[in-house]
Each structure stands twice: as C-alpha cells, then as structure tokens.
Amino acid sequence: MSVEVERKFLCNADTLKKLEEIGAVCVGQRQIHDQYFDTPEFHLTLRDMWLRKRKGCWELKCPTAEAQSGKQGEAAAALCTRYKEITSLPEIHLRVKEVIKEDRESEAGFSQEDESWLSKLNLVCFAEFTTARRSFTLKEEGVQVDLDQADFGYHVGEIEVLVPEGGDEQAALEKIRKTAEKLGLTGDQRVKGKMDVYLKRNHPEHYAKLLSEHIL
Ligand code: V4E
C-alpha cells in the first residue's frame, strides 16, 4: 500500500511551456475510464473513501490517519491531499465491509471477474467518466505531473508523489512545494478535483451531502 500525495492546479495556455522550461519530460498519453461505486446512502464517500474500477482493476482511496485527524500543518501542505491507495482486492473487500457493516458473511468468492460482492454490499456505480491524461516526469526524483482533460469538460493538473508505506511524506510535500514554485503556481485555494465538478453537475444531492460533511 502506498500513499499518494498530490496537489491539483488549474492549467492555462502557459502550462505546457512552463513544464518544458523546467525540464519536465512527457512520458505518455492515455485514456482512463473510471467507474466509482458507493451505496445509495453514500456509506463510503461520506467517509472520504473512493472505490473505483480502472482498467479492470479495483482501487480504494482512503484518507491517511493524519488527514483524518484534521492536521494540516503549513499552508503549502494544506493545498495537498494525501490518500492511501489500496489495490489488493481482499483488503478492499475487508475495508468496504467494515464500513458498510454487512452482517451477511459473503463467501470468499470475490475476484476481478466475479462482481457479486458489489450487489451483496449494495454498491452501485454513481460516477463514470473518461479522462485524457498526459503525464510528465521531473528531474526531482519521484515527481509526476499529470494534465487531465475529463470528458465532461473539466481540465485540471496534478503534481503527485507516491510514497511507499512508512516513507517520508514530509519530503514528498516539499518536492511538491518546490515543483509548484517552479511552475509559478500562485493562490492559496485548493483546486477542485474531477469528482467535485462531476458530482456538482450530475448528482447535486450527493454533492451537497459531501459538502455539508466537509468531505469535498
Ligand atoms: C480522493 C478523491 C477522489 C478519488 C479520485 O481522486 P483524484 O486524485 O481526484 O482522481 P485521479 O483520477 O486524478 O486519480 P489518480 O489517477 O491520481 O489516482 S474523488 C474525491 N476525492 C477527494 C478529493 C478531495 N477532497 N480534494 C481534492 C483536491 N481531490 C480529491
């Protein structure tokens, strides 16, 4: 399990030029199709847990202990998000069940192919979209910049560092701060992610609930 430390930013006409100037190298361009799942009562997202299927694989993003405690530290860190990324299906299943408190013991028959666990836990797809992503790496070790264009018309950039379990999250925050500085990013407001914009447009009730619980 790793922790993804990330800062989103708004792209403009100069972003590509800036990336080139700071020596970023484009390492690929791809289409990403995501489906996000939750119960109709929003058991997962109200706990800031994001279950998705991407390229046929399941992923669960959960807040880190520090994020849950509400500790933000300095201003630059407050512009970043930190989420644990869980990709092991048995662990995802366990964590989701813990939250949904499903009493019925579902048999261990869950696999990438067998999706009956979704209906057993009353999980339904609430968001589905495709993103065109261009990825860049920087000399600063482990820093990746993604430029995302979602199919519903939202364009957002992300500076991200993946920290292995037990790794140095402060160092990751510092790398992100330095990269943001090099890119000339200003502003002290967190930039909205794709889901924020998607839910506001497509599921205003769900969005309002997450806003009122300070999840988004
Ligand atoms: C964590 C989260 C969500 C899951 C999707 O996360 P995100 O990083 O926005 O998507 P994406 O496609 O860039 O994933 P990657 O390829 O980097 O793994 S949806 C909402 N959240 C919470 C959240 C938040 N509260 N604030 C911000 C700025 N982003 C996400």
Side-chain angles (χ1 to χ4, degrees), residues 45-56:
T45 53
L46 281 173
R47 284 166 183 79
D48 204 9
M49 292 170 71
W50 303 88
L51 174 67
R52 77 181 170 205
K53 195 174 186 190
R54 175 179 282 187
K55 280 202 291 177

Side-chain angles (χ1 to χ4, degrees), residues 15-107:
T15 307
L16 274 177
K17 204 172 101 205
K18 271 272 172 212
L19 280 167
E20 208 174 290
E21 276 169 17
I22 69 169
V25 175
C26 183
V27 288
Q29 198 160 349
R30 60 193 174 119
Q31 301 276 327
I32 302 170
H33 181 74
D34 288 322
Q35 290 171 296
Y36 285 87
F37 293 79
D38 200 351
T39 64
E41 299 79 23
F42 319 131
H43 279 90
L44 297 179
T45 53
L46 281 173
R47 284 166 183 79
D48 204 9
M49 292 170 71
W50 303 88
L51 174 67
R52 77 181 170 205
K53 195 174 186 190
R54 175 179 282 187
K55 280 202 291 177
C57 295
W58 289 95
E59 301 175 354
L60 181 67
K61 287 201 181 198
C62 304
T64 59
E66 187 144 90
Q68 275 169 327
S69 76
K71 272 193 248 162
Q72 284 300 348
E74 54 146 337
L79 295 173
C80 295
T81 53
R82 296 186 227 186
Y83 285 88
K84 279 184 262 184
E85 288 195 333
I86 302 164
T87 52
S88 142
L89 192 55
E91 190 173 349
I92 290 175
H93 196 247
L94 206 72
R95 291 203 182 220
V96 169
K97 271 181 69 175
E98 258 169 30
V99 167
I100 299 180
K101 295 195 173 52
E102 173 61 33
D103 303 325
R104 282 172 291 155
E105 255 326 297
S106 56
E107 278 108 61

Side-chain angles (χ1 to χ4, degrees), residues 1 3 5 10 14 23 35 53 58 62 74 78 100 102 108 123 128 139 144 150 152 167 186 204 206 209:
M1 188 193 332
V3 172
V5 186
L10 292 174
D14 280 344
Q35 290 171 296
K53 195 174 186 190
W58 289 95
C62 304
E74 54 146 337
I100 299 180
E102 173 61 33
L123 290 163
E128 181 167 10
K139 282 189 215 95
Q144 179 164 318
F152 52 89
T186 51
H206 190 174
K209 189 98 181 133

